[in-house]
Amino acid sequence: MTAGATTFLLLDTDPGVDDAMALLFLHRHPAARLLGVTTVFGNAEVEVTTRNALYLCERFGIDAPVARGAALPLVGPSRGPAPQVHGDDGLGNLAETPAPTRAADPRPAHRFIVDMLRARPGAVTLLAVGPLTNLALALAEDPAITALVRRVVVMGGAFGIGGQGGNVSPVAEANVLCDPHAADAVFTAPWPVTIVGLDATHRVWMDDAAFARLRDGGGAEGAFLWQASRHYVGFHAGAEGRAGCYVHDASAAACALEPALFTLRRGPVRVVDQGLAIGQTIQRPAGRRYVHGQAWDGVPDQQVAVDVRADALLDLVVRTLAR
Ligand code: BDR
Ligand code: CA
């Protein structure tokens, strides 16, 4: 449900440079109303991602509450942070990040999510751009939230469209591999999930000229993102041979607000939670039955992004961030 053109959102995030871009995108998009931010381990330890979320909200002038979430996946140890991608501080090794003056909400993230969904039944879109542990814990604590959420939009996974593989293993995307059990719980729950994986986000490349547009036209926040992106852009330059980055988390944010930018494919989704292919995401075609397809029996259809109007999305993201 929307009030007029407004989309009410909860952002579950592990900031993270591209998470910071998604946060500012939501703050500046005229149709978005951010009700809260929940944090999770992922790009950095949860102490760091929580500090970053508080810091970014303060820096961007966002007054939504921030609740700290999971430090570990549902099963087993953490696979560790990604300083090579997001820097030791999760924000590109910024020289100066003053301690946030705001404190986190006293509730753990999964309880905060349950409370927010219960407070506005049918109205809230849950946008998750990190490992899915908090969402899985919220489902375990209160399974009835599946009927209360408006929509769940996830950045994660890689479905092999056009040969698209993973970014942390040949088959696994980082957010899903960080907690494959949680991802499987979220994708198989009876609530409407839209999954924006690498099949879409690897088609949206933001070059350094676009970052320069943010620096020069996006006010103090745009200049901050330009500074924070130097390490991230450098990582991609090393890995891809071109300066820029894939627009992961802001693409999912755009999907939450403007889903028509994406081509979505329906069908149940499962996650491989052990072995060589751990973290792989697989969608069974909707309605298809297989002799050995029991793992999909009774699993609800979800929507997977199989294509994106990349130029229009990039234009939307850069225009919104630079406005
Ligand atoms: C995802 O992993 C993280 O590094 C990014 O923030 C994004 O959410 C991309 O695989
Ligand atoms: Ca992220």
Side-chain angles (χ1 to χ4, degrees), residues 125-153:
T125 294
L126 206 42
L127 170 62
V129 297
L132 292 167
T133 320
N134 292 333
L135 274 66
L137 291 171
L139 278 170
E141 177 152 309
D142 188 352
I145 60 170
T146 54
L148 300 175
V149 74
R150 178 178 172 238
R151 208 171 151 221
V152 183
V153 180

Side-chain angles (χ1 to χ4, degrees), residues 14 16-19 43 82 85-86 129-131 155-157 167-168 173-175 198 201-202 232 248-249:
D14 59 336
V17 176
D18 64 321
D19 301 72
N43 292 323
V85 187
H86 293 269
V129 297
M155 191 283 130
N167 58 0
V168 287
E173 181 278 331
N175 288 339
L198 303 181
T201 66
H202 270 207
Y232 195 59
H248 294 301
D249 293 352

Side-chain angles (χ1 to χ4, degrees), residues 154-235:
V154 170
M155 191 283 130
F159 290 85
I161 310 298
Q164 178 63 56
N167 58 0
V168 287
S169 89
V171 294
E173 181 278 331
N175 288 339
V176 169
L177 187 65
C178 277
D179 196 340
H181 297 86
D184 194 56
V186 169
F187 297 160
T188 58
W191 57 3
V193 184
T194 302
I195 305 168
V196 179
L198 303 181
D199 312 275
T201 66
H202 270 207
R203 295 174 195 209
V204 189
W205 178 260
M206 183 159 158
D207 65 17
D208 220 17
F211 277 105
R213 247 181 91 187
L214 296 195
R215 179 193 60 201
D216 300 337
E221 296 82 9
F224 171 81
L225 281 184
W226 184 84
Q227 187 61 46
S229 66
R230 298 304 83 204
H231 181 85
Y232 195 59
V233 165
F235 166 79

Side-chain angles (χ1 to χ4, degrees), residues 2-58:
T2 49
T6 303
T7 298
F8 296 103
L9 293 132
L10 276 184
L11 176 67
D12 189 71
T13 178
D14 59 336
V17 176
D18 64 321
D19 301 72
M21 291 165 62
L23 182 66
L24 186 61
F25 173 80
L26 292 176
H27 181 53
R28 289 194 168 171
H29 193 293
R33 167 123 181 258
L34 190 58
L35 299 175
V37 177
T38 50
T39 63
V40 64
F41 74 96
N43 292 323
E45 307 291 352
V46 73
E47 292 75 21
V48 177
T49 61
T50 305
R51 181 190 188 282
N52 289 349
L54 287 163
Y55 172 74
L56 290 167
C57 283
E58 206 165 314

Side-chain angles (χ1 to χ4, degrees), residues 104-127:
D105 190 278
R107 289 166 287 187
H110 65 280
R111 168 47 56 192
F112 181 86
I113 290 170
V114 168
D115 287 351
M116 297 302 271
L117 295 179
R118 287 212 161 271
R120 291 176 187 257
V124 179
T125 294
L126 206 42
L127 170 62

